[in-house]
Amino acid sequence: MMFGACFRRLTGSFRKLTGKFQETRTANLNQLEKAVHQPMGQLMESLVEGDPVNLPVQRGIAIADTTTRLKGKQPGGRNWREF
């Protein structure tokens, strides 16, 4: 009888610990994604904002028009971008 109660408590503790590990892992992955994704996007934008039209024109491909992404700030101070 005593073994069963100990086992149930231990099982409950493992479940809580597993839940905490999952929460921590999810939070860490979200932070990592933000840390990698944002600088990578900025790098791509800086590469494209140079003179990308010149490359296809040099190879005989006509470019009629180009556009850029809209950028701005939200009322809360966060940046937004329209793709």
Side-chain angles (χ1 to χ4, degrees), residues 50-63:
D51 192 12
V53 174
N54 200 17
L55 294 173
V57 169
Q58 288 176 353
R59 288 165 178 77
I61 301 170
I63 303 293

Side-chain angles (χ1 to χ4, degrees), residues 11-82:
T11 302
S13 294
F14 280 136
R15 284 187 184 141
K16 288 179 187 176
L17 186 59
T18 301
K20 290 290 183 186
F21 281 140
Q22 187 64 29
E23 289 173 19
T24 303
R25 182 175 182 265
T26 301
N28 288 343
L29 286 175
N30 289 340
Q31 289 175 347
L32 179 63
E33 181 182 9
K34 287 178 186 176
V36 171
H37 183 70
Q38 187 176 10
M40 185 60 72
Q42 291 171 347
L43 173 63
M44 290 297 123
E45 284 179 4
S46 68
L47 292 173
V48 170
E49 285 175 355
D51 192 12
V53 174
N54 200 17
L55 294 173
V57 169
Q58 288 176 353
R59 288 165 178 77
I61 301 170
I63 303 293
D65 190 21
T66 63
T67 60
T68 59
R69 227 172 9 164
L70 294 177
K71 301 175 187 177
K73 290 222 181 249
Q74 295 178 338
R78 290 183 34 194
N79 291 332
W80 64 269
R81 295 176 182 175
E82 187 175 308

